[in-house]
Amino acid sequence: MHELGIVFHVIKMVEEVGEKNSLTSVARVGLALGEVSGVLPDYLQDCWKWAVQKSDLLQGSVLDVRRIDAVTVCNACGKTYGTVAHGKVCPHCGSADTVLLRGNEVELEEIEAK
């Protein structure tokens, strides 16, 4: 379960930002999660609820997860398409010479202080 490791990393980053900005309490943390990141949002939420109870700054805070759709570009025809629906093979020309553009990220987007 790498979700717990991700949560610990996010908490550490938020605590560092909190210290630099003299925050006393955080209400919400916004996270962008790629569709093919391999991170399970339900597990992430469960880990968050457990882990933030151990942080004075984040206790009771909410994790707001925004999904980023996975998009792939075909190097042969230059068109983009939904990765999950079509996989590695381009639905426009049939080429497998493709590259994932987005959808595997896990990014801290915002911190809302109380």
Side-chain angles (χ1 to χ4, degrees):
M1 176 188 296
H2 62 284
E3 286 80 2
L4 186 57
I6 291 169
V7 164
F8 283 146
H9 184 70
V10 169
I11 288 172
K12 181 179 178 185
M13 289 190 320
V14 172
E15 287 177 338
E16 288 172 0
V17 169
E19 186 176 326
K20 288 178 185 174
N21 292 280
S22 302
L23 300 180
T24 57
S25 184
V26 170
R28 188 179 68 80
V29 173
L31 196 68
L33 185 64
E35 185 178 22
V36 294
S37 65
V39 178
L40 301 174
D42 290 343
Y43 286 174
L44 196 66
Q45 290 288 353
D46 289 343
C47 291
W48 182 264
K49 289 173 188 169
W50 175 80
V52 296
Q53 298 312 312
K54 298 169 184 351
S55 168
D56 291 335
L57 179 66
L58 288 151
Q59 194 164 28
S61 66
V62 174
L63 179 65
D64 184 20
V65 178
R66 181 179 68 86
R67 190 181 100 174
I68 299 172
D69 292 334
V71 176
T72 295
V73 64
C74 176
N75 290 326
C77 71
K79 294 183 180 176
T80 60
Y81 62 90
T83 306
V84 172
H86 302 286
K88 182 154 177 60
V89 177
C90 176
H92 304 289
C93 72
S95 173
D97 183 14
T98 59
V99 177
L100 182 67
L101 287 179
R102 69 174 183 265
N104 65 343
E105 35 300 84
V106 178
E107 298 175 350
L108 177 60
E109 287 190 313
E110 61 185 326
I111 300 167
E112 181 182 312
K114 288 184 185 175

